[in-house]
Amino acid sequence: MAGNITKLREGYYRLRYRDESQYVKAKTDREAEKLLAKFITDVDSGDFEQPTKVTFKEFAKRWLKDYAEVELAPKTVYRYKQLLEARIYKAFGDKKLNKIKPLDLIEFYNLLRKDHKYISITKDGKAEEKKCGPLSDQTIQHHHRLLSAIFEKAIKWGVLKGDNPAKRVDAPRVPKHRAKYFDEKQIEAMLEALQDEDIKYRVAIMIALTTGARMGEIMGLEWQDVDIKSKTISIRQASQYLPGKGTFTKAPKNESSIRKISVNPSLITLLEEYKAEQQSKGFLCQDNNRLLLMWNGQPMHPNTLSEWFPSFLEKHSLPHMNFHGLRHTSATYLISQGMDIPTVAQRLGHSKPTTTENIYAHAVESRDKKAARLFEAAVNKKKKETKKSSS
């Protein structure tokens, strides 16, 4: 079956073949005939696809519903929705998916580096336009990664044909920042200051410091996760809070995050003391079995520790650090004391030891320097022995 050409006006043609049609620009009828031949070949081979009519916002909403909300953690999905609603929809929402080009992304990133307007969603769901200053390169990189993930899925699902425009744009380079942590003297000062605090906070800090558990994992602990006899704590769930969703319990970050961690005797003693206090208040007779409770025996709000910890540090004139810094402190201390990376990775719930090694490179470097000093001491000792024997 032959195709046909309809000249619409000077320089514009409509090509038809089977049930497909395509609008093209051509300088001459002969050029239009060449385009028709290619069009027929593409249709017969299955390579031809009608340009998508789907807008970026339409596909992004489908991506959120069919992929993100199914496969990703609620906190990650919440953050992605924030990025989309605040700035990305404003820039690309109404554009056809296949019309967004690398230069559009570059222009968008450059806009974020200046004072600009963004959309803020109020508690009652209303959108308000606000002004803000330049975003950090790290935040712009988050936008870039999200856009790239959405375009990649559009290609995989057959909605977008061709290359991922985000892959043709260099992501902003973000210098690696060393994770904040306390050294040994600061740990000692913190533990001393902790003695005057409520026992529930002492328990939370000691679990974070000695196990390296994430805050959400600590908030999700129940008494059944504490084995007094074997001196272990099992991590099997996490408790989090999100606006609009409230407090919820979820599986840990990944499969390797489900783990059993050996703990020190002094933590076990503290836990026994804490459990006795809860029993005396009748809390363990209630429906919940959570470790960390409020004054009324109900589970502590997931954000309580992140709000309490900075004020605790400030009150005792200790360096500022967020609660997650206790996880970094735990890992840094163990590595600096010679603990092997795979063991530390297992305690932290990292899927690969290389993740631990990359995050805590500073501790590995410190241990490496310590090894050099040990060899230096050994060489000097040998020199002294040789000198002594020859004299």
Side-chain angles (χ1 to χ4, degrees), residues 14-31:
R14 182 176 62 207
L15 312 179
R16 283 184 175 175
Y17 178 63
R18 293 185 176 174
D19 296 327
E20 302 290 356
S21 63
Q22 184 180 38
Y23 293 86
V24 298
K25 291 181 181 180
K27 293 179 180 178
T28 63
D29 292 347
R30 186 173 182 79
E31 184 180 345

Side-chain angles (χ1 to χ4, degrees), residues 16 136 142 282 285 302 325-326 361-362:
R16 283 184 175 175
S136 68
H142 292 162
C285 299
L326 292 171
H362 59 278

Side-chain angles (χ1 to χ4, degrees), residues 69-182:
E69 291 176 359
V70 176
E71 300 291 341
L72 305 180
K75 203 169 185 179
T76 303
V77 176
Y78 177 76
R79 177 58 179 153
Y80 283 166
K81 285 180 178 179
Q82 282 186 318
L83 296 179
L84 288 165
E85 290 167 357
R87 295 174 177 85
I88 296 177
Y89 284 160
K90 191 171 186 288
F92 304 116
D94 295 331
K95 284 192 173 184
K96 296 291 188 293
L97 201 60
N98 65 330
K99 295 297 182 182
I100 300 172
K101 305 300 179 185
L103 284 176
D104 297 321
L105 300 181
I106 292 171
E107 185 179 336
F108 175 59
Y109 300 154
N110 286 336
L111 172 69
L112 301 185
R113 293 186 173 97
K114 306 172 185 176
D115 292 345
H116 63 278
K117 295 178 180 179
Y118 72 101
I119 303 300
S120 175
I121 306 297
T122 62
K123 289 182 179 180
D124 57 1
K126 293 181 180 179
E128 292 182 354
E129 191 173 69
K130 294 185 177 181
K131 293 181 180 179
C132 76
L135 300 185
S136 68
D137 283 341
Q138 187 172 44
T139 304
I140 296 173
Q141 188 183 78
H142 292 162
H143 284 77
H144 174 78
R145 287 176 176 172
L146 174 56
L147 283 162
S148 183
I150 292 173
F151 283 123
E152 199 64 32
K153 196 64 73 176
I155 293 169
K156 188 174 183 179
W157 288 353
V159 179
L160 180 64
K161 191 176 180 180
D163 295 331
N164 180 341
K167 286 191 173 181
R168 295 194 175 196
V169 177
D170 294 328
R173 292 186 178 182
V174 180
K176 285 188 176 181
H177 294 290
R178 179 181 292 185
K180 284 190 176 182
Y181 64 93
F182 280 174

